[in-house]
Amino acid sequence: EVQLVESGGGLVQPGGSLRLSCAASGFTFSDHYMDWVRQAPGKGLEWVGRTRNKANSYTTEYAASVKGRFTISRDDSKNSLYLQMNSLKTEDTAVYYCARGPYDSSGYYPYWGQGTLVTVSS
Amino acid sequence: DIQMTQSPSSLSASVGDRVTITCRASQGISNYLAWYQQKPGKVPKLLIYAASTLQSGVPSRFSGSGSGTDFTLTISSLQPEDVATYYCQKYNSAPITFGQGTRLEIK
């Protein structure tokens, strides 16, 4: 069974940093692209970014709203995905989900974690 | 970037009604379109992918259609448990984009 478990959320001041983790199990993590999606309180879903697999050189892509501030990485040996968030803004307050497609490179998401809440506030 | 626009933003219908939600892409995306259902406090659930393919385990009252720029999600007979917010998503290439959501309530 595919499982994705996020951690690392919490309260951080504007301008601060936070690192989220997503622990994966139940599938061959190294084969898959992995994405981060967020949802601000009471708002819709927003794609944050993606890391591709080793076969595609672990390349990453980001939403314009986070490019240059957020970095997605992965450690295939630990079956883990990470989101390093720097220069945080109040508008980054959201539940952050890691998500996976049905096969290695698909962009729709049958699999989601339960989410971790990030609150950016002074 | 391709924008996804859903209509209506909210909808109220009676149990047993046929409900249709529309999603329009600002550029053609072939059939790279998915629909999700999200109930309050829950994780989004994939309903349909490739515009019209029903995800395993999803009730057959849900269906999707469309290609190019115009897509629809239809619930053939609304049930109380279908109260949720529905999102479309285009996934042909990055950046992935979601529609703004349609909140569905029971009248």
Side-chain angles (χ1 to χ4, degrees):
Chain A
E1 178 193 6
V2 172
Q3 285 200 317
L4 301 170
V5 180
E6 301 92 340
S7 60
L11 175 63
V12 60
Q13 291 188 337
S17 298
L18 205 60
R19 189 197 198 204
L20 306 183
S21 299
C22 171
S25 61
F27 64 100
T28 305
F29 180 75
S30 59
D31 286 346
H32 288 268
Y33 293 18
M34 295 295 298
D35 288 18
W36 287 98
V37 177
R38 69 183 180 181
Q39 187 170 34
K43 303 298 184 182
L45 301 168
E46 180 187 17
W47 179 76
V48 173
R50 164 177 295 169
T51 175
R52 295 184 176 88
N53 54 14
K54 181 178 181 179
N56 288 277
S57 305
Y58 298 125
T59 53
T60 53
E61 294 196 73
Y62 299 93
S65 58
V66 306
K67 195 170 185 179
R69 300 188 299 122
F70 289 11
T71 302
I72 297 173
S73 62
R74 62 192 295 162
D75 186 336
D76 289 351
S77 69
K78 296 183 178 179
N79 289 341
S80 292
L81 173 71
Y82 305 103
L83 180 64
Q84 177 67 44
M85 303 183 294
N86 298 331
S87 302
L88 281 161
K89 306 174 181 180
T90 55
E91 53 263 41
D92 295 318
T93 294
V95 174
Y96 285 74
Y97 299 100
C98 61
R100 200 212 90 178
Y103 45 89
D104 58 358
S105 63
S106 175
Y108 63 89
Y109 312 120
Y111 306 108
W112 297 71
Q114 85 289 349
T116 188
L117 176 62
V118 173
T119 303
V120 184
S121 175
S122 55
Chain B
D1 296 348
I2 297 174
Q3 307 303 315
M4 306 301 292
T5 303
Q6 285 181 234
S7 60
S9 297
S10 62
L11 175 58
S12 182
S14 300
V15 172
D17 281 356
R18 183 181 182 88
V19 171
T20 298
I21 298 169
T22 296
C23 180
R24 175 164 289 177
S26 60
Q27 299 175 39
I29 57 170
S30 184
N31 68 336
Y32 292 96
L33 192 283
W35 289 97
Y36 297 86
Q37 175 193 66
Q38 187 178 32
K39 297 182 178 180
K42 300 297 185 182
V43 175
K45 174 186 176 182
L46 176 68
L47 298 177
I48 287 168
Y49 61 94
S52 61
T53 303
L54 200 64
Q55 172 70 358
S56 175
V58 173
S60 59
R61 64 180 180 274
F62 291 92
S63 65
S65 65
S67 183
T69 60
D70 294 311
F71 303 87
T72 59
L73 172 69
T74 299
I75 307 173
S76 60
S77 178
L78 186 66
Q79 300 301 304
E81 60 266 31
D82 299 335
V83 170
T85 300
Y86 293 84
Y87 296 94
C88 64
Q89 175 213 10
K90 75 93 174 169
Y91 59 90
N92 58 318
S93 63
I96 305 301
T97 312
F98 293 89
Q100 81 279 14
T102 295
R103 180 173 294 181
L104 176 58
E105 298 176 339
I106 298 289
K107 203 179 283 184

